[in-house]
Amino acid sequence: MTQDELKLAVAQAAIAYVVEGEIVGVGTGSTANFFIDELAKIKHKIKAAVASSEVTAARLRSHGITVLDLNEVTSMPVYIDGADEITPQGAMIKGGGAALTREKIVASVAEKFICIADGSKLVDVLGKFPLPVEVIPMSHTVVARKLNTLGGEARLRLKDGQPLLTDNGNMILDVHGMQIQDPLAMEAQINNIVGVVTVGLFARQGANVCLLGTADGVKTLQF
């Protein structure tokens, strides 16, 4: 199976976790896009969606799915999103799509986080995928120096030769070459650096379930 076929398989499997008549939180990225397209097929069965990015909101609306501002929502049963890496314990690196802060906020409201990923995303140790850190623009060089003391190399993420800006108007530093043995401790340490908005480590608030696309079918990991 191709990577896209694996992504489609887990997106289809995730539909079983959508609660009829309720609001569903939706993530950002290529695998989440497959899920949005599948969600459109049952849009009459859900109340609305909450999007973790402007790109996701636009895709949802293009399918005729109502998108609510998170401030209008008091609870939601499930948040469904991909991951750049996930461990057998459910800790993740997220933020390849530059939506890590909003993803973490929307996920915090949901009762369950369902991660959908192809098998290549399952790793024993996080860090081969560069760790995204969203930062206040005026602080990016200061934060980069502090991140470099943690065992990696922080690089400003660019788009068309200019610093990429998130939906929140901030910049992203990608930390390359890390071996994150203790994701919980690293998440707390980076979040405590002044100037950091959010680190793309989802360990304190990891996945509850991972639907993993493999050549042998979709495997369900419970955490």
Side-chain angles (χ1 to χ4, degrees):
M1 296 178 73
T2 67
Q3 193 172 33
D4 278 352
E5 287 171 336
L6 295 174
K7 291 178 179 181
L8 176 59
V10 295
Q12 291 171 334
I15 293 296
Y17 290 85
V18 175
V19 179
E20 194 167 329
E22 295 288 346
I23 298 165
V24 57
V26 184
T28 298
S30 58
T31 311
N33 284 341
F34 280 105
F35 172 71
I36 293 168
D37 296 344
E38 292 302 310
L39 185 65
K41 298 174 184 178
I42 63 159
K43 63 184 179 182
H44 59 285
K45 294 184 178 181
I46 64 169
K47 184 176 179 181
V50 173
S52 63
S53 66
E54 298 299 334
V55 169
T56 290
R59 194 179 188 100
L60 287 163
R61 290 190 183 106
S62 75
H63 283 298
I65 298 171
T66 300
V67 179
L68 297 178
D69 186 284
L70 186 63
N71 290 311
E72 303 174 79
V73 176
T74 54
S75 66
M76 69 181 82
V78 66
Y79 174 70
I80 297 174
D81 197 1
D84 297 305
E85 288 185 339
I86 185 167
T87 69
Q89 293 75 42
M92 297 171 285
I93 284 181
K94 292 176 52 55
L100 56 158
T101 299
R102 295 192 184 194
E103 287 171 346
K104 195 170 278 193
I105 292 169
V106 178
S108 73
V109 179
E111 294 170 24
K112 278 187 178 180
F113 187 141
I114 311 299
C115 174
I116 50 177
D118 65 85
S120 69
K121 304 298 193 295
L122 184 65
V123 298
D124 290 325
V125 179
L126 297 173
K128 185 175 181 181
F129 188 92
L131 176 64
V133 182
E134 184 165 343
V135 298
I136 300 295
M138 70 172 289
S139 72
H140 74 86
T141 57
V142 175
V143 173
R145 288 196 294 270
K146 293 181 179 178
L147 290 172
N148 289 343
T149 68
L150 301 179
E153 180 193 352
R155 304 176 196 167
L156 189 63
R157 189 182 299 185
L158 303 177
K159 182 178 182 180
D160 301 324
Q162 298 296 319
L164 179 145
L165 295 182
T166 69
D167 287 345
N168 309 311
N170 297 317
M171 295 178 179
I172 290 184
L173 293 167
D174 291 309
V175 189
H176 296 252
M178 297 194 82
Q179 290 277 304
I180 305 171
Q181 302 290 343
D182 189 342
L184 270 171
M186 185 65 73
E187 182 176 4
Q189 188 172 4
I190 294 176
N191 274 338
N192 281 329
I193 296 173
V194 175
V196 168
V197 178
T198 313
V199 60
L201 275 170
F202 286 58
R204 185 183 64 83
Q205 185 181 299
N208 300 105
V209 174
C210 179
L211 302 175
L212 198 69
T214 74
D216 300 321
V218 176
K219 295 184 177 179
T220 303
L221 309 178
Q222 304 268 359
F223 309 109

